[in-house]
Structures are given as C-alpha cells and as structure tokens.
Amino acid sequence: MPRVCFTLQVDPARLAEYRARHERVWPEMLAALADSGWHDYSLFLRADGLLVGFLVTDDFPAALAAMQARDVNARWQAEMAPFFLDLDHGAADRAMRPLDEVFNLAAQLAAETGETP
C-alpha cells in the first residue's frame, strides 16, 4: 500500500493551541478519515511550526477527494485554516505538499531477499 508524507507550515505563534486541538479530534472526523482510506495517519510538529504528515492509503487523490466530500471535513478545515501559513487554496487539505520517498528500509531489505515488502 502506498505511503504518503506531506508538509505544511503551522504559525509558530499558535503551536500550543494547534497541539491542543489535536489531543481530541472530533469522533466524526476520525471516522471520516478512516472510512475515506486514511490509514496509519500521523502528524509530527517541529518547534518552528513545520508539520509533517504521514499516512498509508491505496489511492491518495481518491482519499483526499473522499474527505473533501464530507461535511465534517469542511467544518474541520475552516476551524484549522487560521493555524496555517501560506495556504494556497484556503484549506490545509488542499495545500499539502507531498514529498517524494527516496528511501524505504523495508522495500530495500525485501529486494535483497526477493520478498514482497
């Protein structure tokens, strides 16, 4: 299953509040993410506001589209937008900058042994 890693920039002046908002994400939002194909989804936040997200999904564009069709996502994105800098499209889920994976330990080990990762 493909892995996706992306970055966003949280306003450094709002890091504590951003962290607090993610301590208890709305149950409806959690269910929508899971139902839309977001698996093993994590967010990592650096002290300067760099946010790195990671997830596993069969089809990232489809998973994004499924979330964008959900009312709960529209409400969540509206509440979270003020926390981010440089939102190109007004919502964090539309401004994610996916990164190219350049190394995967499991894949290389599997290639060495002829196994499937």
Side-chain angles (χ1 to χ4, degrees):
M1 193 174 299
R3 299 154 15 119
V4 177
C5 184
F6 62 87
T7 64
L8 291 163
Q9 183 63 45
V10 176
D11 181 349
R14 302 195 67 185
L15 295 181
E17 187 180 358
Y18 184 83
R19 286 178 188 278
R21 294 281 185 106
H22 284 82
E23 287 176 7
R24 290 287 236 219
V25 172
W26 306 334
E28 186 183 0
M29 184 64 171
L30 299 174
L33 286 163
D35 293 345
S36 296
W38 296 59
H39 307 288
D40 198 18
Y41 182 33
S42 297
L43 296 173
F44 302 87
L45 187 59
R46 198 166 70 180
D48 66 357
L50 176 67
L51 182 73
V52 177
F54 174 85
L55 67 132
V56 177
T57 187
D58 288 323
D59 182 342
F60 187 50
L64 278 173
M67 281 305 294
Q68 290 170 0
R70 304 275 187 134
D71 177 63
V72 67
N73 187 61
R75 289 183 281 122
W76 181 264
Q77 296 301 324
E79 288 212 12
M80 293 295 109
F83 290 93
F84 292 97
L85 303 177
D86 303 323
L87 288 185
D88 300 333
H89 304 287
D93 65 344
R94 294 172 193 243
M96 294 174 175
R97 296 174 183 89
L99 304 174
D100 293 332
E101 184 173 31
V102 297
F103 173 77
N104 179 304
L105 177 62
Q108 287 197 23
L109 288 171
E112 289 291 316
T113 61
E115 296 177 15
T116 304

